[in-house]
Amino acid sequence: SAVISQKPSRDICQRGTSLTIQCQVDSQVTMMFWYRQQPGQSLTLIATANQGSEATYESGFVIDKFPISRPNLTFSTLTVSNMSPEDSSIYLCSVGTEPYEQYFGPGTRLTVT
Amino acid sequence: ILNVEQSPQSLHVQEGDSTNFTCSFPSSNFYALHWYRWETAKSPEALFVMTLNGDEKKKGRISATLNTKEGYSYLYIKGSQPEDSATYLCAPKHGSSNTGKLIFGQGTTLQVKP
């Protein structure tokens, strides 16, 4: 298994500002992902964080809005830029380990006012 | 876009009742199915990963079955306890390897009354 921590655990931000969320894993992992759960919605994949190269974004998500860094195999950040109330969500970091498992961090609960 | 459906959306049962939920997903190009339990303010907890048609897995009072040919999975909880109250999420993965992405259903929220 993998132990994942995220910072901050929650935040309240003003519209127009940006927030960077950090994800730290206790072991080296190849696959690292960022998800979002908006109120009343499913968990939705934002992007796959690739070590040493640009993240791979899912349809509907763009780098300018959600820049991601992955400097090594144990750490990643997700920035939510120029926030609006629609960005109020739970943001989760997740890692995949072979052959099948995928684990999640505790999430960052973001409220944009 | 893959469609994953979970039913019911929510469920209220009395302590001691047994219950079950359904997850349906596209059967083509199936790789694995994940079940998670998500309690408020905690990480989603991995319950089961199932890969083979006919698979049955058990963890304490919770068990799950998988039918990959028709694209569904059942999760059973025997003798529900208040601590089982949570949202239960299923997520299939399609493709030929673990690099595929999980697609989540909306979840079944279970409330167990003492």
Side-chain angles (χ1 to χ4, degrees), chain A residues 31 35 37 40-43 45 58 92 97-102 104-106 109, chain B residues 31-32 34 36 38 41-44 49 51 89 93 98-99 101-102 104-106:
Chain A
M31 292 176 284
Y35 285 80
Q37 188 191 40
Q41 304 294 315
S42 318
L43 274 172
L45 180 63
E58 296 300 308
L92 294 114
T97 62
E98 294 294 347
Y100 302 109
E101 286 74 21
Q102 190 161 334
F104 285 83
R109 283 150 179 80
Chain B
Y31 183 76
H34 295 242
Y36 292 89
W38 196 5
K42 295 186 179 179
S43 310
V49 181
T51 58
L89 299 168
K93 187 173 284 190
N98 201 30
T99 56
K101 58 189 178 188
L102 291 178
F104 282 87
Q106 288 204 299

Side-chain angles (χ1 to χ4, degrees), chain A residues 4-11 19-24 34 75-78 91 93 106-109:
Chain A
I4 306 167
S5 59
Q6 282 185 238
K7 287 186 201 178
S9 59
R10 59 177 66 241
D11 208 340
L19 176 72
T20 296
I21 302 167
Q22 297 180 4
C23 175
Q24 180 74 53
W34 287 98
F75 185 79
S76 177
T77 67
L78 169 75
Y91 292 85
C93 172
T108 296
R109 283 150 179 80

Side-chain angles (χ1 to χ4, degrees), chain A residues 2-61:
Chain A
V3 177
I4 306 167
S5 59
Q6 282 185 238
K7 287 186 201 178
S9 59
R10 59 177 66 241
D11 208 340
I12 300 173
C13 301
Q14 290 196 332
R15 69 174 68 208
T17 62
S18 298
L19 176 72
T20 296
I21 302 167
Q22 297 180 4
C23 175
Q24 180 74 53
V25 189
D26 68 341
S27 57
Q28 292 187 338
V29 291
T30 306
M31 292 176 284
M32 193 177 264
F33 310 94
W34 287 98
Y35 285 80
R36 173 176 82 175
Q37 188 191 40
Q38 292 177 298
Q41 304 294 315
S42 318
L43 274 172
T44 302
L45 180 63
I46 297 171
T48 301
N50 301 309
Q51 194 265 329
S53 64
E54 197 171 280
T56 305
Y57 290 85
E58 296 300 308
S59 176
F61 298 96

Side-chain angles (χ1 to χ4, degrees), chain A residues 87-98:
Chain A
D87 295 319
S88 297
S89 298
I90 303 174
Y91 292 85
L92 294 114
C93 172
S94 178
V95 301
T97 62
E98 294 294 347

Side-chain angles (χ1 to χ4, degrees), chain B residues 21 37-40 82-88 108-111:
Chain B
F21 328 133
R37 174 170 60 200
W38 196 5
E39 295 178 68
T40 305
E83 57 265 30
D84 295 329
S85 298
T87 296
Y88 291 81
T108 294
T109 299
L110 173 66
Q111 285 271 26

